[in-house]
């Protein structure tokens, strides 16, 4: 939890990725909104909206995308296709330099008439859509009957001129630091480490850092819509992807076709309010985990009551603060890594058994599972290489968010964060320092998502969501404006709702995307 939105980054990880790892190891903008539909003139007067994409079989993911093998063929043998779209580096000067935006697609399989391309953003910010879409594809099989499924690495991410900061060895040290400093010396070390990280980002990525705002990515998506040949944007955004979708709707309301926002970020909050809300959300998820565990005593070796479970976790973390235990050699499981691992496991109820096993092992002095969970959170693979998930996450958030917090701000707010979550409060409070000396100014206190004139947008909230608390869905609906946002609620657990086991949610979303059937505002799925 090294940055104010760090927990949000884990939204892009997949159950498949986590399972394989466990088995192996144990805002605002200075441009006017443009909704004219005109082409984009790049350098030399070239119409970038008329460019032809050269689709080819996808290569293996790059190191910045997380590494690994090329995506497996789809059911029926169809292969994933990849291409690169050229977009202006600086949307304020579109005739200048361009950058490549990496895309992936699975063509519509039928039956039924093809509607167009359904563009996905799986969150972060900082997550590679090129690697995430194949991992999640089985959840979207019904949508592929009438849509080409498309995703992309947003600018600054993965292959799309990815932000680079520190080396793998430096990142290992960075993620091992004490992220909840208790005295002046620890505070000085934490501030120094953050400054060094940010300076490395400036040194290695100065060209792209001013151009990774969410408004830039939204403009890329509208160019993508045109290049893919669609009159309207069909979109599915999860977590941070809901903010991106809302900003797109603000900039291009008349280009919105059908859009789903799932695992919704509250667009009215500043970074401090967002971090405090996450503290409450993760504490709620931990409470739910503890209650669920103790409701099955034969499967829960962690305590007799929910409070026992939480007390033992708190003691473990306190002990690790002064005495780490063996993790994945040569690294040790520190308090910071353990808390990251616990947070990662709360993103989905499917991860709870791993949390139970990881805690049980940690109580016996073995930190491997919690360390693996922490590595997934931070984008580290089994070979010790890091994707650029966290560097891109910090770069995009700091470019978006205008507030710059100081040590004094954190210390003033610590009591409120600790009240919100005894376990996660300190980590999220200190994480607000991540943008303190960032070389690029932030755009706004919070994103503008007002979208008068847009088609209806389906906003899906989950009452048990740890990373994007449920109240954000209603705030998004209100901010989009009257007649635009349509709220759907799921009384469930984990981050996001679609594909999480609710037939009600899945069928409602499918009917909206495939047939244009807009549900009643306020519909609830239990």
């Amino acid at each position: 939890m090294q940055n104010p939105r760090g927990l949000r980054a884990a939204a892009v990880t997949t159950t498949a990725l986590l399972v394989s790892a466990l088995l192996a190891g144990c805002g605002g903008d200075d441009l006017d909104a443009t909704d004219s539909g005109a082409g984009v003139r790049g350098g030399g007067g070239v119409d970038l909206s008329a460019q032809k994409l050269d689709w080819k079989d996808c290569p293996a993911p790059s190191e910045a995308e997380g590494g690994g093998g090329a995506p497996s063929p789809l059911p029926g043998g169809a292969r994933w296709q990849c291409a690169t779209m050229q977009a202006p580096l600086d949307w304020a000067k579109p005739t200048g330099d361009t950058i490549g935006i990496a895309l992936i697609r699975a063509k519509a399989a039928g039956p039924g008439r093809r509607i167009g391309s359904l563009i996905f953003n799986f969150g972060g910010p900082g997550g590679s859509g090129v690697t995430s879409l194949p991992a999640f594809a089985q959840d979207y099989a019904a949508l592929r009957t009438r849509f080409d499924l498309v995703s992309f690495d947003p600018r600054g991410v993965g292959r799309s001129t990815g932000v680079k900061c520190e080396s793998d060895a430096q990142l290992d040290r960075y993620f091992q630091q004490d992220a909840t400093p208790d005295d002046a010396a620890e505070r000085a070390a934490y501030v120094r480490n953050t400054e060094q990280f940010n300076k490395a980002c400036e040194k290695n990525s100065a060209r792209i850092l001013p151009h990774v705002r969410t408004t830039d990515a939204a403009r890329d998506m509208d160019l993508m819509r045109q290049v893919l040949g669609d009159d309207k944007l069909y979109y599915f955004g999860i977590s941070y992807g809901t903010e991106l979708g809302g900003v797109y709707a603000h900039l291009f309301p008349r280009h919105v076709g059908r859009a789903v926002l799932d695992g919704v970020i509250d667009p009215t909050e500043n970074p401090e309010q967002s971090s405090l809300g996450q503290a409450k959300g993760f504490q709620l998820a931990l409470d739910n985990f503890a209650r669920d565990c103790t409701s099955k005593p034969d499967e829960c070796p962690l305590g007799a009551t929910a409070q026992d479970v939480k007390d033992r976790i708190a003691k473990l973390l306190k002990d690790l603060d002064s005495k780490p235990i063996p993790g994945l050699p040569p690294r040790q499981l520190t308090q910071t890594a353990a808390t990251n691992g616990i947070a990662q496991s709360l993103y989905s109820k499917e991860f709870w058994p791993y949390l139970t096993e990881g805690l049980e092992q940690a109580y016996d002095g073995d930190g491997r599972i919690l360390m693996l969970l922490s590595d997934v959170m931070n984008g580290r693979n089994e070979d010790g290489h890091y994707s650029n998930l966290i560097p891109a996450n910090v770069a995009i958030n700091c470019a978006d968010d205008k507030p710059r917090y100081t040590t004094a701000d954190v210390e003033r707010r610590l009591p409120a964060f600790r009240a919100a979550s005894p376990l996660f409060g300190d980590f999220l409070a200190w994480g607000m320092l991540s943008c303190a000396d960032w070389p690029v100014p932030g755009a706004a206190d919070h994103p503008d998502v007002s979208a008068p004139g847009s088609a209806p947008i389906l906003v899906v909230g989950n009452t048990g969501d740890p990373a994007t608390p449920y109240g954000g869905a209603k705030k998004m609906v209100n901010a989009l404006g009257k007649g635009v946002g349509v709220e759907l609620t799921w009384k469930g657990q984990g981050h996001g709702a679609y594909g999480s086991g609710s037939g009600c949610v899945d069928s409602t979303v499918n009917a909206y995307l495939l047939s244009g059937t807009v549900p009643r505002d306020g519909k609830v799925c239990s």
Side-chain angles (χ1 to χ4, degrees):
M1 301 179 201
Q2 308 298 324
N3 54 83
R5 311 283 178 86
L7 292 178
R8 203 172 286 170
V12 303
T13 60
T14 69
T15 303
L17 173 63
L18 180 58
V19 170
S20 65
L22 287 165
L23 291 175
C26 331
D29 190 75
D30 58 1
L31 300 174
D32 292 331
T34 303
D35 198 13
S36 65
V40 178
R41 294 292 172 182
V46 174
D47 184 358
L48 293 177
S49 64
Q51 64 184 288
K52 302 298 182 183
L53 298 179
D54 183 16
W55 293 102
K56 297 180 179 178
D57 287 351
C58 291
S62 68
E63 186 175 301
E65 292 173 308
S72 300
L74 291 146
R79 303 183 71 86
W80 290 95
Q81 297 178 317
C82 287
T84 300
M85 180 188 78
Q86 295 300 312
L89 169 66
D90 184 351
W91 273 101
K93 302 174 182 178
T95 58
D97 292 344
T98 61
I99 58 173
I101 305 295
L103 277 67
I104 188 170
R105 77 174 179 185
K107 297 186 74 172
R113 179 182 55 84
R114 178 184 175 277
I115 296 172
S117 295
L118 180 61
I119 299 175
F120 289 81
N121 180 281
F122 294 95
S128 166
V130 172
T131 59
S132 294
L133 182 57
F136 282 116
Q138 69 277 8
D139 293 337
Y140 304 109
L143 301 177
R144 188 176 162 237
T145 58
R146 299 190 64 195
F147 286 105
D148 294 347
L149 305 186
V150 177
S151 194
F152 63 107
D153 289 354
R155 53 177 58 217
V157 176
R159 278 199 173 93
S160 298
T161 316
V163 174
K164 180 175 176 57
C165 297
E166 294 185 320
S167 68
D168 291 334
Q170 289 172 319
L171 287 171
D172 269 348
R173 293 191 292 272
Y174 181 67
F175 290 125
Q176 289 291 91
Q177 70 173 314
D178 188 340
T180 57
D182 300 314
D183 54 38
E186 290 183 352
R187 285 194 294 274
Y190 182 79
V191 170
R192 183 172 61 253
N193 290 337
T194 302
E195 290 175 348
Q196 290 174 351
F197 178 91
N198 291 354
K199 287 179 180 176
C201 297
E202 182 178 18
K203 178 182 177 181
N204 295 315
S205 305
R207 177 173 178 260
I208 190 65
L209 292 185
H211 307 297
V212 295
R213 294 190 173 106
T214 298
T215 47
D216 295 315
R219 294 178 188 281
D220 291 342
M221 283 210 308
D222 198 60
L223 176 60
M224 197 180 306
R225 171 191 64 79
Q226 297 173 65
V227 170
L228 292 170
D230 289 335
D231 292 333
K232 301 286 186 178
L233 181 80
Y234 299 96
Y235 179 73
F236 202 128
I238 301 104
S239 195
Y240 161 78
T242 66
E243 180 177 326
L244 176 58
V247 169
Y248 179 92
H250 170 69
L251 293 174
F252 306 102
R254 291 186 294 277
H255 294 176
V256 175
R258 300 167 195 164
V260 174
L261 310 182
D262 184 10
V264 187
I265 287 176
D266 185 338
T268 69
E269 292 181 331
N270 63 31
E272 177 185 325
Q273 293 167 330
S274 176
S275 294
L276 185 61
Q278 281 198 320
K280 295 175 182 177
F282 275 92
Q283 187 63 45
L284 173 62
L286 183 68
D287 293 344
N288 291 336
F289 161 76
R291 281 194 296 269
D292 180 78
C293 185
T294 54
S295 72
K296 300 171 286 190
D298 292 342
E299 302 174 23
C300 185
L302 305 180
T305 67
Q307 191 60 50
D308 288 341
V309 173
K310 291 183 287 184
D311 287 345
R312 289 191 72 194
I313 294 174
K315 184 179 185 304
L316 171 69
L317 295 178
K318 182 178 180 180
D319 292 344
L320 290 173
D321 192 26
S322 58
K323 189 177 180 180
I325 62 175
L328 295 172
R331 295 176 299 150
Q332 292 186 307
L333 182 73
T334 62
Q335 182 193 57
T336 300
T339 308
N340 264 330
I342 293 167
Q344 169 64 65
S345 67
L346 295 175
Y347 271 86
S348 171
K349 196 171 182 178
E350 294 180 46
F351 299 171
W352 289 4
Y354 301 125
L355 176 56
T356 299
E357 186 177 357
L359 288 170
E360 187 177 14
Q361 288 190 3
Y363 295 144
D364 290 334
D366 181 349
R368 287 178 296 171
I369 287 180
L370 290 184
M371 179 69 83
L372 277 167
L373 289 162
S374 180
D375 285 349
V376 171
M377 171 76 82
N378 293 328
R380 188 185 195 271
N381 66 23
E382 297 167 25
D383 297 330
H385 295 304
Y386 286 87
S387 72
N388 86 319
L389 171 64
I390 296 302
N393 178 273
V394 175
I396 295 167
N397 282 325
C398 293
D400 277 348
D401 296 336
K402 188 175 183 179
R404 298 294 187 251
Y405 299 104
T406 66
T407 299
D409 292 327
V410 173
E411 291 175 336
R412 175 180 54 85
R413 294 297 289 155
L414 270 174
F417 275 79
R418 288 168 175 164
S421 174
L423 192 72
F424 300 107
D426 278 49
F427 287 83
L428 285 159
W430 284 106
M432 292 194 300
L433 291 182
S434 66
C435 298
D437 60 342
W438 192 251
V440 175
D445 288 336
H446 56 81
D448 191 345
V449 300
S450 60
S454 169
I457 295 173
L458 184 57
V459 180
V460 189
N462 176 3
T463 59
D465 198 314
T468 51
Y470 170 63
K474 176 58 71 175
K475 294 290 186 64
M476 178 66 80
V477 167
N478 292 339
L480 287 169
K482 186 175 181 181
V484 178
V486 177
E487 186 175 15
L488 172 65
T489 293
W490 180 45
K491 294 183 177 180
Q493 299 295 331
H495 187 38
Y498 187 89
S500 296
S502 170
C504 172
V505 169
D506 292 357
S507 62
T508 301
V509 170
N510 290 347
Y512 166 73
L513 287 174
L514 295 171
S515 304
T517 303
V518 179
R520 172 182 56 84
D521 184 28
K523 179 177 178 178
V524 177
C525 294
S526 300

